[in-house]
């Protein structure tokens, strides 16, 4: 959970998407505890016949300043990944 929390902190201002197998209850709980929302599933996707659950967290909303408080926003660097 610490690794995903660190990734979330680093990805402030973005939307993250990840997935886990339907049998991996620990991962599902972790996503839920960190505020991720289940956004879909693909049945029988994996070789073992398990389904893949997809989760997302919108870190953009969390990084937006309160209304009327423009000074709280941080400048964002935009870069193109190779």
């Amino acid at each position: 959970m610490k690794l995903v929390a660190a990734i979330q902190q680093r990805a402030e201002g973005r939307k993250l998407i990840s997935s886990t197998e339907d049998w991996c209850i620990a991962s599902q709980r972790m996503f839920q505890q960190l505020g991720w929302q289940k956004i879909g599933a693909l049945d029988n996707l994996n070789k073992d016949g398990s389904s893949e659950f997809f989760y997302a967290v919108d870190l953009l909303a969390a990084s937006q300043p309160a209304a009327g408080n423009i000074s709280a926003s941080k400048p964002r660097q935009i870069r193109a990944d190779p």
Side-chain angles (χ1 to χ4, degrees), residues 37-50:
Q37 300 295 314
K38 186 175 174 185
I39 59 170
L42 290 175
D43 295 333
N44 302 313
L45 179 69
N46 302 309
K47 285 184 180 183
D48 64 359
S50 63

Side-chain angles (χ1 to χ4, degrees), residues 46-67:
N46 302 309
K47 285 184 180 183
D48 64 359
S50 63
S51 297
E52 195 74 13
F53 292 163
F54 294 87
Y55 288 85
V57 64
D58 187 353
L59 301 172
L60 180 60
S63 68
Q64 293 297 311

Side-chain angles (χ1 to χ4, degrees), residues 19-46:
S19 68
T20 189
E21 291 84 3
D22 60 3
W23 53 263
C24 192
I25 304 303
S27 291
Q28 294 173 46
R29 285 185 184 144
M30 176 197 65
F31 285 129
Q32 292 168 356
Q33 290 173 351
L34 291 172
W36 293 59
Q37 300 295 314
K38 186 175 174 185
I39 59 170
L42 290 175
D43 295 333
N44 302 313
L45 179 69
N46 302 309

